[in-house]
Amino acid sequence: MLRTALLAAGRSRACRAAVERAPVTRELVARYVAGSTLEEALGAVEALAADREVTLDHLGEDVTDAARARATVDVYTRLLAELARTGLAARAEVSVKLSAVGRLLPRDGEKIALDNARRICAAAAEAGTAVTLDMEDHTAVDATLGILAALRADFPSTGAVLQAYLRRTEADCRDLSGAGSRVRLCKGAYDEPESVAYRDRREVDRSYVRCLRILMRGTGYPMVATHDPRLVAIAGRLAEDAGRGPADYEHQMLYGVRDREQRRLAAEGRRMRVYVPYGDEWYGYFMRRLAERPANVAFFARSLLSRG
Ligand SMILES: Cc1cc2nc3c(=O)[nH]c(=O)nc-3n(C[C@H](O)[C@H](O)[C@H](O)COP(=O)(O)OP(=O)(O)OC[C@H]3O[C@@H](n4cnc5c(N)ncnc54)[C@H](O)[C@@H]3O)c2cc1C
């Protein structure tokens, strides 16, 4: 219930204004977001790069005008050029939401998103790194996987994200488990109806294990995006059963979440990549993070009440 309400608030303009104004917000946002500028983002990458790899996300989604979609491409192009110039491209790739580069534009949105994503992939290739396409709500999956296939024809290292809470995902894992395919498996962060998604946490976890088994037994490159200790342990066992060494898959976690565990896994010799978001459009991302952790909500609510 609370999760549903928070995710709905994440799409509401009125709630956005209230949350953005709340003094406590800044403190919590700083936990999850590396800063608003490119320099701050690069600083975070530098700090992490000693023992971890990174995927950088320029915050923003659901863009409804073409100029903003083009501006997002420019931001990524500059970011990738800076990663190359500073030598950080060897440790950092980028994550892109197709709705930030035009997927939802009323005319030719998918074509525009493909063209824009292609420009980002070309900039990434030139920098010596790669792009992963974030996955948004279930209505975006077909378009995102279609665009992924088109991009992979020219940029084979472009990665996908699949969400274990969707009933279709086992089949998508089979389709994307072949050689050269980079797949980030996560539980899924949106509020999805029962008709397309498992809503019970245990069912989501079971689906995650089935999906991960398919990816580990395949010939692609699984990216295990979860902070769930049970699933992290199961990933290690499934990799071993499938004869994969530490270089044949990676763990991924979010900036600001389970940092000590991230460092522990890296120290064990596992590949650990951190998803680092930056930029001013943090609202939607932040509300999804709040929804994942009831303790955050309690803290947030208490702070709002105590201030008046
Ligand atoms: C690298 C990465 C990329 C992602 N990309 C996408 C994407 O493209 N599309 C998409 O739908 N979702 C994405 N997600 C989000 C994902 O779907 C989940 O919503 C999120 O990771 C929480 O699920 P969990 O697997 O960590 O398990 P949970 O059971 O939710 O969490 C396990 C434990 O992790 C800790 N934890 C989890 N979330 C938080 C939090 N917000 N704050 C503090 N502690 C927390 C808590 O200790 C919790 O008990 C991504 C996640 C990661 C790690």
Side-chain angles (χ1 to χ4, degrees), residues 28-108:
L28 261 181
V29 170
R31 170 179 179 181
Y32 292 111
V33 174
S36 62
T37 65
L38 173 58
E39 289 66 34
E40 286 169 315
L42 290 175
V45 178
E46 244 165 38
L48 290 163
D51 62 343
R52 286 162 276 181
E53 291 169 82
V54 163
T55 183
L56 272 159
D57 166 49
H58 183 258
L59 290 163
E61 53 200 89
D62 298 348
V63 160
T64 51
D65 73 275
R68 276 195 57 205
R70 276 196 304 277
T72 299
V73 177
D74 293 341
V75 165
Y76 273 102
T77 309
R78 271 201 305 281
L79 165 64
L80 285 156
E82 266 316 277
L83 288 175
R85 192 186 65 76
T86 52
L88 289 169
R91 306 288 288 164
E93 54 140 68
V94 296
S95 287
V96 174
K97 283 188 178 49
L98 289 175
S99 78
V101 292
R103 181 177 59 77
L104 297 174
L105 293 178
R107 283 187 55 197
D108 295 331

Side-chain angles (χ1 to χ4, degrees), residues 163-230:
Q163 299 150 317
Y165 66 12
L166 293 184
R167 297 175 192 274
R168 61 176 285 168
T169 293
E170 268 183 84
D172 290 331
C173 284
R174 267 182 222 107
D175 290 346
L176 288 175
S177 62
S181 177
R182 297 166 66 244
V183 178
R184 173 196 301 160
L185 181 66
C186 63
K187 289 189 185 179
Y190 297 80
D191 187 36
E192 301 289 15
E194 177 84 47
S195 54
V196 298
Y198 304 110
R199 295 192 45 102
D200 178 272
R201 294 182 71 87
R202 281 161 311 181
E203 277 193 282
V204 176
D205 291 356
R206 283 197 285 269
S207 169
Y208 196 104
V209 175
R210 290 194 299 274
C211 291
L212 193 54
R213 186 174 288 123
I214 294 168
L215 296 175
M216 288 289 188
R217 286 183 178 167
T219 51
Y221 182 73
M223 304 187 279
V224 185
T226 181
H227 315 91
D228 186 330
R230 269 189 59 229

Side-chain angles (χ1 to χ4, degrees), residues 31-32 134-136 161 163 165 184 186-190 201 225-229 252-254 257-258 275 289-290 292-293 296:
R31 170 179 179 181
Y32 292 111
D134 281 352
M135 190 58 84
E136 299 175 76
V161 177
Q163 299 150 317
Y165 66 12
R184 173 196 301 160
C186 63
K187 289 189 185 179
Y190 297 80
R201 294 182 71 87
T226 181
H227 315 91
D228 186 330
Q252 296 192 345
M253 293 190 190
L254 301 175
V257 180
R258 301 203 72 205
Y275 186 103
R289 302 293 79 82
L290 274 192
E292 277 155 9
R293 188 154 157 79
N296 280 343

Side-chain angles (χ1 to χ4, degrees), residues 5-20 283-284 287:
L6 281 165
L7 292 173
R11 306 214 133 173
S12 145
R13 273 169 188 273
C15 293
R16 178 176 179 149
V19 171
E20 285 181 349
Y283 182 68
M287 293 305 277

